[in-house]
């Protein structure tokens, strides 16, 4: 073989199970610098921190031949995220609602909740995700993670209240998803089972940064999503082409005779082939086309197909056969022509490393799979082959089923469509308490100023002592925001620092925790702040936007608030002003405001 | 502890040239080093150095000197 170039080596790193995260990152970067045949944008919206999922989606996308650009969403904002994804040209969306995050420490809290609270939560979940699915209607594919639990039930039988609610919410999510033909549920509980619960979660980062998942979990999740999206449009497999000897049965029919091949369901190793034949027959029932391509005497193979008592697959199961001594690439070409399908829609399964390599080299567009040397691995390998065909869903039968679901769900949606974003927000019963100069808030305001990056207009960091000084100073005001909704209080989640100088009020800082962005909280506090300034004798409000590496999402915040740009610097910093009496941006109708201090 | 390896891992995860990583590197000076990237960095360091960084330290090792200090201790303790 020719010497490997960098991209080949990088692909080998991506394919290897043993590659470390650092090696993967390097390999991904190498490959992404190459021109890509196909690039797609994938939006990831989650209610947990899943930054690494992007790395693994890029890994599996590249392995399938697709460059993947990740568009990350905000925290727990599926509806807003999908809107932004649409504007950003995203074609595939991943939505990951996190069960333990539905309310803070939901699994621990659940046994202590009133049943009514669970009902409200389910209704909110349904309407939020229905709206997100609705908004994502035009996407090529939408993957929504089902719910899984973080801990184990204490109850020996596994039927505790968490299991009951999880089951119920999971059913609700699946029911909402069923109404959208482009939307698929990804069974995350099965990902946890596959990876192992202990290996799936990192409790350090779960509790500290709401990043509950390990790389192992996110890697397996990304692998499944990529398979489900058919490599993000890289392939659409239709035909499974099978060798015979040591692939459909154990042994060589030309040597062992048609009755002597290993295929008994009760004896090893025949039982492995018998099992595999059932797996392949199941594929046929799902609409996958089967073909034979084998170097044998046709009479021998026909006799096994017709007479062997333990054959699961029979002659009528194959749509085409090439039983001859020609080379396999030539036979595969002939099969493709006969069936009128592209070579790239074929999967070729053979036990011979020689044949597999010949096909890989001459027909790289065919997906070639070799029967593993360790026979016990064979059913698992065929399971992966099945994924190539079925993970993407929609064979003829299932497409009909999808259509039925879609019609039924459309009727339901006509009733439900009145639930728009504003009604949803109203149902949250949002409250904002605007506090002013409370010394007890200083520590939290300081902490928030250190931590807030995305929604932070000037990125000024304050120490607790500084905030205490500003609280006491008559020339300053420190506003803090306490946000609550029907599910409880989110606590002190934002602050504004004002400086008064003669008839001018300057906004020195304004920052919010990303937990509360996107619900109108950010604009709700300004009418009161302006009224306070007027009462102090100020006529003008001045505010600055100072760009940082992380706060681009608020670059136009003051524009949206109705302020006017006064000056703009080369680095993108902008000063705004407005006559206090001209400020007319009302607080959102769905927020109940109160003030303190 | 292999400092070159440390620089390489940090450079790869934080997406800056390896020669730019040094004692002056911290969350405040490296633009790509935000709280999300920090999680990835901790996981990558644990994997490359074969160690487990305790909860108390995972969140606070936000500069090159701090990482070096904690890693050296853990690598030594393992040996």
């Amino acid at each position: 073989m020719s010497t490997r170039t960098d991209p080949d080596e990088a692909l080998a790193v991506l394919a290897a199970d043993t590659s470390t995260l650092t090696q993967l990152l390097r390999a991904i970067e190498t490959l992404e610098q190459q021109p890509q045949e196909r690039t797609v944008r994938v939006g990831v919206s989650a209610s947990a921190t899943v930054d690494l999922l992007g790395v693994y989606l890029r890994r599996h996308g590249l392995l399938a031949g697709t460059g993947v650009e990740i568009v990350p969403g905000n925290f727990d904002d599926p509806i807003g995220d999908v809107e932004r994804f649409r504007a950003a040209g995203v074609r595939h969306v991943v939505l990951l609602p996190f069960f333990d995050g539905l309310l803070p420490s939901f699994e621990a809290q659940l046994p202590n909740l009133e049943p009514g609270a669970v009902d409200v939560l389910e209704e909110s979940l349904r309407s939020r995700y229905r709206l997100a699915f609705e908004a994502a209607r035009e996407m090529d594919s939408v993957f929504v993670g089902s719910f899984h639990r973080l801990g184990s039930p204490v109850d020996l039988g596994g039927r505790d209240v968490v299991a009951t609610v999880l089951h119920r919410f999971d059913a609700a999510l699946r029911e909402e998803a069923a109404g959208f033909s482009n939307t698929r549920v990804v069974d995350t509980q099965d990902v946890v089972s596959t990876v192992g619960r202990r290996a799936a979660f990192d409790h350090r980062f779960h509790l500290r940064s709401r990043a509950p998942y390990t790389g192992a979990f996110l890697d397996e999740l990304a692998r499944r999503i990529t398979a489900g999206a058919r490599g993000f449009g890289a392939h659409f497999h239709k035909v499974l082409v099978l060798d015979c000897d040591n692939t459909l049965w154990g042994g060589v029919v030309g040597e062992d005779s048609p009755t002597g091949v290993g295929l008994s369901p009760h004896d090893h190793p025949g039982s492995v082939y018998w099992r595999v034949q059932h797996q392949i027959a199941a594929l046929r029932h799902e609409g996958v086309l089967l073909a034979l391509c084998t170097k044998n005497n046709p009479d021998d193979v026909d006799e096994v197909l017709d007479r062997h008592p333990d054959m699961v697959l029979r002659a009528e199961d194959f749509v085409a056969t090439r039983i001859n001594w020609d080379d396999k690439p030539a036979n595969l070409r002939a099969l493709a022509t006969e069936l009128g399908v592209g070579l790239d829609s074929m999967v070729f399964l053979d036990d011979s490393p020689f044949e597999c390599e010949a096909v890989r080299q001459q027909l790289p567009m065919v997906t070639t799979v070799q029967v593993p040397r360790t026979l016990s691995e064979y059913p698992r390998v065929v399971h992966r082959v099945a994924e190539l065909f079925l993970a993407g869903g929609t064979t003829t039968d299932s497409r009909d089923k999808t259509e039925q679901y879609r019609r039924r769900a459309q009727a339901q949606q006509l009733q439900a469509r009145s639930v728009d974003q504003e009604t949803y927000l109203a149902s949250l019963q949002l409250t904002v308490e605007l506090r002013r100069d409370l010394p007890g808030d200083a520590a939290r305001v300081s902490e928030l100023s250190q931590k807030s990056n995305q929604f932070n207009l000037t990125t000024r960091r304050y120490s607790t002592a500084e905030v205490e000084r500003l609280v006491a100073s008559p020339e300053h005001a420190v506003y803090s925001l306490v946000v609550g909704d029907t599910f409880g209080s989110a606590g002190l989640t934002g602050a504004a620092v004002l400086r008064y100088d003669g008839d001018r009020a300057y906004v020195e800082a304004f920052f919010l925790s990303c937990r509360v962005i996107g619900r109108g909280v950010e604009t709700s506090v300004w009418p009161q702040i302006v009224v306070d300034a007027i009462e102090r004798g100020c006529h003008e409000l001045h505010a600055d936007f100072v760009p940082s590496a992380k706060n681009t999402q608020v670059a136009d915040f003051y524009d949206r608030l109705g302020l006017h740009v006064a000056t703009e610097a080369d680095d993108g910093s902008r000063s705004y002003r407005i006559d206090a009496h001209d400020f007319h941006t009302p607080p959102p109708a769905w927020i109940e405001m109160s003030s303190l201090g | 502890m292999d400092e070159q390896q440390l620089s390489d891992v940090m450079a790869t995860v934080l997406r800056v040239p390896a020669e730019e990583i040094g004692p002056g590197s911290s969350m405040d000076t490296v633009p790509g080093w935000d709280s999300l990237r920090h999680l990835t960095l901790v996981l990558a360091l644990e994997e490359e150095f074969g160690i487990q960084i305790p909860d108390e330290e995972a969140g606070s090792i936000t500069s090159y000197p701090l990482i070096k200090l904690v890693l050296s201790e853990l690598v030594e303790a393992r040996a």
Side-chain angles (χ1 to χ4, degrees), chain A residues 18-23 25-26 29 32 49-52 55 58 202-205 208-209 211 213-215 453-454 461 549-550, chain B residues 8-9 12-13 15 27 30-31 33-37 39-40 42-48 52-60:
Chain A
T18 48
S19 301
T20 66
L21 178 56
T22 312
Q23 290 167 332
L25 287 168
R26 277 186 205 132
E29 205 144 303
E32 285 178 346
T49 301
V50 293
D51 210 31
L52 267 182
V55 172
R58 284 151 71 204
D202 189 326
H203 293 288
R204 293 173 300 176
F205 297 138
R208 185 186 292 280
S209 315
Y213 300 116
T214 60
N453 292 311
Q454 295 176 41
R461 317 292 195 193
K550 291 154 196 168
Chain B
D8 286 346
V9 174
T12 302
V13 175
R15 309 188 69 176
M27 225 167 176
V30 180
W33 193 345
D34 56 19
S35 55
L36 295 183
R37 202 59 65 71
L39 302 184
T40 309
V42 171
L43 295 176
L45 290 169
E46 290 184 333
E47 196 175 33
E48 295 299 323
Q52 178 88 6
I53 299 171
D55 184 22
E56 312 83 73
E57 271 149 357
S60 57

Side-chain angles (χ1 to χ4, degrees), chain B:
Chain B
M1 194 208 44
D2 184 347
E3 279 201 51
Q4 186 58 48
Q5 194 186 3
L6 171 57
S7 304
D8 286 346
V9 174
M10 290 178 69
T12 302
V13 175
L14 302 174
R15 309 188 69 176
V16 292
E19 53 274 17
E20 282 181 25
I21 295 291
S25 302
S26 78
M27 225 167 176
D28 292 330
T29 61
V30 180
W33 193 345
D34 56 19
S35 55
L36 295 183
R37 202 59 65 71
H38 186 68
L39 302 184
T40 309
L41 179 60
V42 171
L43 295 176
L45 290 169
E46 290 184 333
E47 196 175 33
E48 295 299 323
F49 288 90
I51 44 138
Q52 178 88 6
I53 299 171
D55 184 22
E56 312 83 73
E57 271 149 357
S60 57
I61 45 171
T62 55
S63 71
Y64 183 94
L66 284 173
I67 291 177
K68 196 178 127 185
L69 185 74
V70 168
L71 276 193
S72 311
E73 281 173 7
L74 289 169
V75 170
E76 231 166 80
R78 190 196 54 186

Side-chain angles (χ1 to χ4, degrees), chain A residues 176-244:
Chain A
E176 297 301 336
F180 300 89
S181 55
N182 65 342
T183 303
R184 311 267 310 281
V185 176
V186 184
D187 187 345
T188 59
Q189 183 64 61
D190 192 66
V191 178
V192 174
S193 306
T194 302
V195 174
R197 198 195 297 275
R198 290 210 179 109
F201 303 116
D202 189 326
H203 293 288
R204 293 173 300 176
F205 297 138
H206 171 223
L207 296 173
R208 185 186 292 280
S209 315
R210 285 185 295 184
Y213 300 116
T214 60
F217 174 95
L218 294 170
D219 190 16
E220 176 62 13
L221 180 64
R223 193 189 68 75
R224 292 184 188 201
I225 289 169
T226 309
R230 298 195 160 94
F232 299 110
H235 51 71
F236 197 120
H237 293 112
K238 294 173 187 155
V239 188
L240 176 58
V241 185
L242 299 152
D243 174 44
C244 289

